[in-house]
Every structure is written in structure tokens, then in C-alpha cells.
Amino acid sequence: LRNEGVAALAAALSGHACIAHLDVGDNPISEGGVAALVQLCAATPSLKEVLYDGCYFVRGWSDISSNVDPDPNTGGAPLRAAIERNRNPPPPPLTGDAAVAALDVGALLVSRWLEVKALFYQLAGADGRVSFGKLRDGLAARGEAWGVLPSHLVDFISPAHIFRFASRGDGDGAGGGDGSTLSYA
């Protein structure tokens, strides 16, 4: 089995749902055949093991001149990485309630505090006040760009969540007598 044979084998087995092991060891496969094996691994998540001991690419034998820069496929590093990705695939992305539960909106707002502050100043009127409704709507509009669903962000935005209000005893939650506005004035 040579490079051309590996390419044909990879094309035939690509995407096979049940293949878990492949032994191509002790064949004259050079660095050029590694790409086909890597593509096979990428297209076949069930493939968890490829035995390739004794192949030319493992020993660094190649049909290219020795005065050329070393081939990155020598030793099989890309193939090992592809096999490792199949063995340890990333977890599926969270959706629905699980995504909401995993979302740390507080940390998101803290990490983007300069943008939140700029939004506040943009929305604040001449008196330096902005209603929570306007702030909520402004943050919701930015939610998509931040990779957060606006509804999740809107549900989170409230005086209690963002600013951790503690009544000061004067009926003023944060600069607005009814606690519904913020002020920098």
C-alpha cells in the first residue's frame, strides 16, 4: 500500500459509521499519504485508532530531496492529532435551558464594562439619568454581537441583578426615587 492506495482506501472508507480501527503499518506510505489519513479521520469520527508503525513517514523516509525543509507530516503528528480529536471530541454546544443555566451574564457584562459604560452615557439624557428600560433595550440590541441571545440578557437585566442594590434607607435605590433609573449626575 503506497500513497495512491492510501488515498483510494481513505475515499472508500470515508464517513463509514462503524470503522473504529485501521492498520496501515509496515507499508511504504510517505509524508504525502498522511494527508489522506488525516482526511479519513476527520470524515470518520468512529475511527479511534490508526496503526502506522513501520510506515516511511514515521521514520522520515521520503521521496523528496533531503535538502528541502522537513515535512510537517514526518513522524505522523497531524495524524496523531486527528486520531486524538476522534477519541476526545468536543462536547456538543449547549442549547435551551442548559445554555441559559451555563451563561454567566454577570461575567459577560463585567468583561464588557467599557461597552456597557459607553452605552449608559449614550442613553443618558441631559440630566444624566437613564431608565432601566432603555438600558435593557440597549443591551439587548448588543446581545447578538456579544454572542448572547437578547432574551437571555433582557431577562437578567434588572437593578437587583446588575447593581446589587441595598436600600440606603432613603428610598433611593440608585439615584432614582423609585429605583427605576440610574444616574451619573
Side-chain angles (χ1 to χ4, degrees), residues 7-153:
L9 180 69
L13 296 177
S14 184
H16 193 286
C18 297
I19 186 168
H21 306 281
L22 179 65
D23 186 350
V24 294
D26 294 318
N27 282 293
I29 303 169
S30 70
E31 286 85 345
V34 172
L37 291 171
V38 169
Q39 288 173 350
L40 174 62
C41 287
T44 314
S46 62
L47 185 57
K48 308 290 187 207
E49 183 175 14
V50 177
L51 301 176
Y52 52 86
D53 290 344
C55 291
Y56 287 180
F57 69 85
V58 173
R59 300 181 231 161
W61 296 350
S62 182
D63 52 3
I64 62 172
S65 174
S66 62
N67 63 359
V68 177
D69 289 335
D71 191 303
N73 291 334
T74 299
L79 182 54
R80 281 193 305 277
I83 294 166
E84 189 60 29
R85 282 190 298 276
N86 283 359
R87 288 180 183 160
N88 301 305
L94 298 174
T95 59
D97 290 340
V100 173
L103 184 63
D104 187 352
V105 179
L108 172 74
L109 293 175
V110 168
S111 71
R112 300 204 178 251
W113 73 273
L114 286 175
E115 294 169 75
V116 173
K117 182 178 176 182
L119 173 65
F120 181 91
Y121 286 119
Q122 176 188 350
L123 296 174
D127 64 353
R129 293 175 180 246
V130 62
S131 72
F132 281 111
K134 284 185 179 179
L135 182 60
R136 186 181 358 242
D137 294 345
L139 287 171
R142 284 157 178 77
E144 289 292 331
W146 293 348
V148 179
L149 296 174
S151 63
H152 300 157
L153 193 56

